[in-house]
Amino acid sequence: MELLKEKIRTEGKVLSNAVLKVDTFLNHGIDPVLMKAIGEEFARLLEGKEVTKIVTLESSGIAPAVMTGLVLGVPVVFARKKKSLTLQDNLYTSSVYSFTKQEENAISVAYSHLSKGEKIFIIDDFLANGQAALGLVDIAKQAEAEIVGIGIVIEKAFQDGAKLLKEQGYDVYSLARIASLENGQVTFVEENK
Amino acid sequence: MELLKEKIRTEGKVLSNAVLKVDTFLNHGIDPVLMKAIGEEFARLLEGKEVTKIVTLESSGIAPAVMTGLVLGVPVVFARKKKSLTLQDNLYTSSVYSFTKQEENAISVAYSHLSKGEKIFIIDDFLANGQAALGLVDIAKQAEAEIVGIGIVIEKAFQDGAKLLKEQGYDVYSLARIASLENGQVTFVEENK
């Protein structure tokens, strides 16, 4: 997605060979117009496929997920990373390790929010080692929902996440695929148009 | 906002005299079409006022904030509740106690995301005792940003939050004002049309 890549080129900050900061438009600051374009692009990629719900993870997945839900006309549910007073029992849960935050989080979705046979599209902001996406896949499996695909805003293609997900048979739709962050430079995977 | 009140009437679950669960459309499941309508309603209420940025708090503020940003054509920033590896220094921070989660959170916004003189509209999903909104107000003050108003999706008008904010001189725009949750019933504040 050229608009997104351009945004990454101009506003992304390479913090190390593995860490890209995109806090101006995706995971602290949010560019709503770009999010809408992201929703339209996911909808385009899913053309012809039936999706009944978008599933994401708080917090940075919410903006692209809600815009995709708006374009596709389907509801969204976001997995929570912590239990609250109003969301405690009857939960599908899975465990996700965040390398960025260096902590293990239990993520959960209420039983009432995912049903057997639902056709879900999973969305997350980043795909690196795939931990978050695999946690959402685990929850979907517990619910016996059907995973139509996994939509990623920014894939770090030099890490294993996409490979792991594809090996398990899932379609991964990444809007920007980064081949390398070496030498402080963002290099995208060359795509065949 | 009648559409929102109708949604609360039909899908909200009264858990106690103080707790309303709206997890089907706002803070676990999200209804993107309703969020868009909420964005349009905030934009209508702000007509004639200049806003340069929407400021909210993760996670449940993000969906209404992003839709409002889309309608107004302005960027969004969400305060984070925890520090991450890519967001550590140069932060405005404030402390917010959550009665729902029974915990104190440090919330933070990067210096680079709020500037002196910016005209911000603060959005949050719930207003009860006003802790979260006051935390965002505190951050805005540190940044010397101008607070155009505070937009709330659901106000628990039987708690003190709106009063506290108004006493400090802020305009509060609540889309649904709940007078009482007693006897398991949602009673809205009667508004003059």
Side-chain angles (χ1 to χ4, degrees), chain B residues 74-98:
Chain B
V74 302
V76 174
V77 63
F78 64 91
R80 286 204 166 267
K81 285 180 180 163
K82 221 182 262 183
K83 297 173 186 180
S84 82
L85 276 191
T86 60
L87 182 70
Q88 280 186 319
D89 303 319
N90 306 314
L91 301 175
Y92 301 110
T93 58
S94 190
S95 188
V96 171
Y97 182 75
S98 163

Side-chain angles (χ1 to χ4, degrees), chain A residues 15 19 21 23-24 26-30 32-33 35-36 58-60 62-63 66-67 69-70 74-80 82 84-87 99-103 105 108-110 112-113, chain B residues 15 19 21 23-24 26-30 32-33 35-36 58-60 62-63 66-67 69-70 74-80 82 84-87 99-103 105 108-110 112-113:
Chain A
L15 298 189
V19 180
K21 187 173 176 173
D23 72 331
T24 60
L26 183 58
N27 48 27
H28 184 35
I30 301 174
V33 175
M35 293 304 121
K36 180 86 187 301
E58 64 179 346
S59 290
S60 299
I62 295 175
V66 169
M67 288 300 181
L70 184 71
V74 300
V76 174
V77 63
F78 64 90
R80 286 205 165 266
K82 224 182 263 182
S84 82
L85 276 193
T86 60
L87 181 70
F99 289 91
T100 322
K101 296 192 175 177
Q102 298 179 319
E103 64 182 18
N105 278 302
S108 51
V109 172
S112 53
H113 281 70
Chain B
L15 298 191
V19 179
K21 186 172 178 174
D23 71 333
T24 61
L26 184 58
N27 49 25
H28 184 35
I30 301 174
V33 175
M35 293 304 122
K36 180 85 188 300
E58 64 179 347
S59 291
S60 299
I62 294 176
V66 169
M67 288 301 181
L70 184 72
V74 302
V76 174
V77 63
F78 64 91
R80 286 204 166 267
K82 221 182 262 183
S84 82
L85 276 191
T86 60
L87 182 70
F99 289 91
T100 321
K101 296 192 176 179
Q102 297 179 321
E103 63 182 19
N105 278 302
S108 51
V109 172
S112 52
H113 282 70

Side-chain angles (χ1 to χ4, degrees), chain A residues 5-66:
Chain A
K5 285 165 144 182
E6 189 53 33
K7 200 84 171 175
I8 294 169
R9 273 187 212 105
T10 52
E11 298 185 17
K13 290 180 200 85
V14 178
L15 298 189
S16 75
N17 282 357
V19 180
L20 172 71
K21 187 173 176 173
V22 287
D23 72 331
T24 60
F25 61 87
L26 183 58
N27 48 27
H28 184 35
I30 301 174
D31 178 340
V33 175
L34 178 65
M35 293 304 121
K36 180 86 187 301
I38 284 171
E40 285 161 356
E41 181 66 6
F42 278 135
R44 194 186 65 79
L45 293 169
L46 290 168
E47 216 170 276
K49 297 200 165 73
E50 195 196 351
V51 173
T52 61
K53 191 169 280 176
I54 310 289
V55 179
T56 189
L57 181 62
E58 64 179 346
S59 290
S60 299
I62 295 175
V66 169

Side-chain angles (χ1 to χ4, degrees), chain B residues 89-142:
Chain B
D89 303 319
N90 306 314
L91 301 175
Y92 301 110
T93 58
S94 190
S95 188
V96 171
Y97 182 75
S98 163
F99 289 91
T100 321
K101 296 192 176 179
Q102 297 179 321
E103 63 182 19
E104 188 95 20
N105 278 302
I107 66 167
S108 51
V109 172
Y111 287 168
S112 52
H113 282 70
L114 268 186
S115 310
K116 186 174 175 174
E118 268 196 291
K119 297 174 197 307
I120 66 164
F121 184 59
I122 291 173
I123 288 182
D124 207 8
D125 57 337
F126 268 97
L127 178 63
N129 43 65
Q131 295 302 299
L134 287 166
L136 293 172
V137 164
D138 180 28
I139 281 177
K141 279 183 180 170
Q142 292 174 43

